[in-house]
Amino acid sequence: MAKPIYILNGPNLNLLGLRQPEIYGRETLEDVANACGALAEDLGLGIRFHQSNHEGVLIDWIHEARGQGAGIIINPGAFTHTSVAILDAMNAFEGPVLEVHISNVHKRESFRHHSYVSLRAEGVIAGFGTEGYLLALRRMRSLVSS
Ligand code: CA2
């Protein structure tokens, strides 16, 4: 059985679709998980889709992916801009990493312009709404099969 792709979501993304639809859209995280599941099936990939508001829990999933995952797609939420610990965990993962942001972080406050995770990611998608997760999955399919 091929290893799955880990799709990890950071703090407050559990509120997706419930608040600030002008920034993050109307889809819930459950909608995103279902859309990723359907596309992954079409692409012949397995996924593990997770969200946590806790840095250490995200790091534990990144460690789990070291043995069990083929690649990681991550929207680290606000930890994007603060977490050297998540970067360190990512650097211990050997497969491809793609970073996703629902909003265009470069059009927002300057503190959102820097990402620690981008120092590790093969690619970054920002500002494509929740469609960014699906674009990342398609790209991941190419990265894990090459
Ligand atoms: O655009 C993104 O995906 C972000 O990673 C989202 C983070 C933000 O801190 C990053 O700068 C960019 C925030 C996630 C909060 O999600 C919410 C969703 C709905 C309502 C409230 C928060």
Side-chain angles (χ1 to χ4, degrees), residues 1-2 4 26 30 62 104 110 119:
M1 184 79 176
R26 295 196 177 278
E30 194 184 347
I62 295 165
N104 180 358
S110 59
L119 293 168

Side-chain angles (χ1 to χ4, degrees), residues 11-13 15-20 24 75-81 100-105 108 111-112 133:
N12 297 308
L13 285 161
L15 299 178
L16 207 60
L18 309 178
R19 296 275 169 87
Q20 296 183 269
Y24 299 113
N75 181 348
F79 291 146
T80 306
H81 319 297
V100 172
H101 299 286
I102 298 166
S103 64
N104 180 358
V105 283
R108 301 181 66 189
F111 65 81
R112 296 186 203 275
Y133 288 83

